[in-house]
Amino acid sequence: MHSRRTLLLGAPPVLAGLLASPALLLTACANAPTAMPSLADRPPIVFVHGNGDSAALWQTTLWRFESNGWPRERLFAFDQPLPLARDDDGVAQAGRSSTAESAAFLKDRVEQVLRATGAARVVLIGNSRGGNTIRNYVQNGGGAAVASHVVLGGNPAHGIWAVPGLRENNEFSGLSPFMRQLNAPKGPNGDEVTPGVKWLTLRSDNNDKYAQPDGLWIGSPGKPTNIGFDGPALKGATNIVLPRVDHRETSFSPAAFAATWQFLTGEAPRSPEIAREANVVLDGRAIGAENQSLAGAQVLVYAVDPATGRRLGEPVHRKTIGADGRWGPFSARPDAAYEFVLDTQASVTHVYRSPFPRGSSLVNLRLDPIVPADGSANAVAVFTRPRGYFDAQRDTMRFDGKSPPAGVPPKGAGVSSSRLRETGSEPQRAVTGEFNGERLTGLTWPAVKGHVTVLELTY
């Protein structure tokens, strides 16, 4: 779809170690990054999440920026209301947003950030659909006047499919009017990116479920999508390949952070590791699938035994959720494992998390209700990885003694959660999930009363 010349460049030492590869694939272009101002003058960064997601996915990315000295008060991530794209971008659909609505939301938030910080420019970083929103805002909503740099991770820049007659008005069709106008040639070189802004794209070599030549992950196995592994790359941008990362890891992995930091600053980060804080203050929103606040719900937090999931006494925090959805602030112990209980009376979600090394205002609690497919299960437990997918060929993982976990295919990174349904009458018991060194244990709860257990990985 677009021509470009590629160079194989040696990776900076930090980045090379993260990628477990001796080199990065970097697209040569005239749009090379320029050095950022001094540490005290770091511009604000606005992070834009993807389709159906929330700002919580940026939690570890913000921690890495903070750990390398980017001021916390200049890092912003927002929950977009109705984060799912419409089936047809031009037709209103309950619970979903259009490309125009998504760009308008971003424009409003950027203007808020500029007023709050007094900055003249911002950096925009987006994952997946968030990249569509950023490109639309920069090209059509005035964003080019205020965005200095843009980083797009796993953005379906040429669509997820480009098949004549297949949902051509969908935002993710490469044949949609929306996508065609975004990719129309610009400037003297016929670039696909808006001039005047520095652009970086990050993509997988061949492990992104939404950049595949075969339609397996869009429900059409064996049929061509007319999209290649390089679909997220854009003419006029700096395009980097991160080997073996999955769709979400193009934004949320240590390798993605290191490449982004290098692009913004011209230097490798001091470390991709997350520095620990002595005082850990947690907050976030209690929300449903549409990122709407669950006003009236109750949130209770318990310290638990990390080996058994058993509660260590009474709640250490409780709050009734208001219109803003905020459930904190809560001062946590950095060495403690916690159970977060989100109770709407009709449905109760028990979220078990590893100890938090740093404070965060992005600890969102999303309701995970009983669904018809759960049938007559006595207990339901979910093992989930919000910031990446499970890859049976790449990762070491186990859920309730099974490897790979139920529902995880033997090949490909396209599933981010595993759902366990118990139909027997066994009393409450512990369930454990393990993934690449992170281990979580929680307790099962009665599904007949609307309870669901969630083991939520941090990394």
Side-chain angles (χ1 to χ4, degrees):
M1 286 189 178
H2 52 286
S3 61
R4 55 185 183 270
R5 182 168 59 91
T6 59
L7 296 174
L8 198 62
L9 301 182
V14 170
L15 191 54
L18 289 172
L19 297 177
S21 172
L24 291 176
L25 188 63
L26 178 65
T27 297
C29 67
N31 202 8
T34 55
M36 278 286 160
S38 66
L39 181 62
D41 298 322
R42 295 287 196 214
I45 302 177
V46 177
F47 297 86
V48 187
H49 64 72
N51 195 47
D53 292 329
S54 83
L57 272 67
W58 294 108
Q59 181 183 89
T60 55
T61 301
L62 267 64
W63 282 344
R64 291 185 174 98
F65 269 94
E66 294 169 11
S67 298
N68 281 272
W70 209 286
R72 174 175 286 174
E73 64 273 14
R74 289 198 159 223
L75 301 170
F76 300 87
F78 304 100
D79 298 317
Q80 181 185 318
L82 312 180
L84 282 171
R86 293 175 176 177
D87 291 334
D88 184 317
D89 191 44
V91 178
Q93 186 175 6
R96 301 195 175 212
S97 57
S98 68
T99 55
E101 290 168 337
S102 186
F105 172 79
L106 175 58
K107 178 181 177 69
D108 178 71
R109 291 303 185 269
V110 168
E111 290 173 353
Q112 288 183 24
V113 166
L114 292 175
R115 288 194 298 268
T117 62
R121 309 276 276 184
V122 297
V123 172
L124 300 175
I125 299 179
N127 173 252
S128 193
R129 187 196 184 200
N132 287 356
T133 299
I134 290 172
R135 294 184 68 201
N136 194 15
Y137 165 58
V138 170
Q139 182 168 315
N140 303 310
V146 296
S148 62
H149 295 65
V150 168
V151 179
L152 308 176
N155 173 229
H158 297 93
I160 297 172
W161 65 87
V163 180
L166 178 61
R167 294 177 284 167
E168 287 190 30
N169 288 326
N170 186 282
E171 175 180 338
F172 299 119
S173 170
L175 303 180
S176 67
F178 170 74
M179 198 62 71
R180 288 181 182 275
Q181 59 89 20
L182 279 187
N183 292 329
K186 305 165 189 66
N189 298 320
D191 291 342
E192 294 173 308
V193 295
T194 302
V197 179
K198 303 297 181 183
W199 295 82
L200 171 67
T201 76
L202 301 173
R203 72 169 178 91
S204 177
D205 48 0
N206 57 18
N207 205 31
D208 185 334
K209 66 183 291 186
Y210 296 124
Q212 294 289 326
D214 184 273
L216 173 66
W217 295 113
I218 62 171
S220 300
K223 297 182 179 179
T225 63
N226 298 325
I227 300 296
F229 299 132
D230 65 345
L234 287 165
K235 185 179 180 181
T238 298
N239 299 294
I240 292 179
V241 175
L242 305 177
R244 294 303 298 158
V245 299
D246 61 48
H247 178 65
R248 289 179 179 169
E249 289 171 340
T250 59
S251 289
F252 309 124
S253 64
F257 162 73
T260 299
W261 183 277
Q262 179 89 31
F263 177 74
L264 296 180
T265 68
E267 302 174 342
R270 291 194 302 264
S271 172
E273 300 300 321
I274 295 168
R276 294 185 174 274
E277 286 184 317
N279 299 315
V280 174
V281 178
L282 305 177
D283 198 356
R285 299 177 64 232
I287 54 178
E290 297 176 355
N291 287 346
Q292 303 295 337
S293 300
L294 295 176
Q298 295 281 327
V299 168
L300 298 93
V301 182
Y302 294 87
V304 298
D305 182 335
T308 66
R310 297 285 177 184
R311 294 171 178 173
L312 302 176
E314 296 299 309
V316 292
H317 177 78
R318 66 170 71 227
K319 186 173 182 178
T320 299
I321 304 304
D324 63 358
R326 309 303 299 187
W327 64 263
F330 162 58
S331 293
R333 285 173 39 202
D335 60 345
Y338 290 102
E339 172 197 353
F340 299 83
V341 182
L342 175 56
D343 186 350
T344 67
Q345 294 189 334
S347 184
V348 185
T349 301
H350 302 258
V351 182
Y352 295 84
R353 294 285 302 266
S354 296
F356 288 81
R358 297 183 65 83
S360 174
S361 62
L362 297 179
V363 186
N364 284 355
L365 304 177
R366 250 192 180 183
L367 196 66
D368 196 330
I370 296 292
V371 296
D374 294 327
S376 59
N378 178 60
V380 176
V382 180
F383 183 39
T384 185
R385 186 180 178 225
R387 295 165 192 87
Y389 290 84
F390 294 133
D391 186 333
Q393 294 178 302
R394 179 194 64 183
D395 303 316
T396 300
M397 55 187 158
R398 186 178 299 273
F399 180 33
D400 198 37
K402 297 180 177 62
S403 181
V408 175
K411 182 179 181 180
V415 174
S416 61
S417 65
S418 173
R419 201 170 185 94
L420 172 68
R421 300 177 175 95
E422 292 190 344
T423 56
S425 57
E426 186 175 354
Q428 186 180 57
R429 71 178 182 89
V431 290
T432 297
E434 300 170 83
F435 179 84
N436 290 353
E438 186 176 1
R439 188 176 191 273
L440 294 168
T441 298
L443 295 178
T444 59
W445 297 85
V448 69
K449 296 182 179 180
H451 292 250
V452 173
T453 295
V454 176
L455 308 181
E456 182 179 323
L457 291 161
T458 297
Y459 304 100

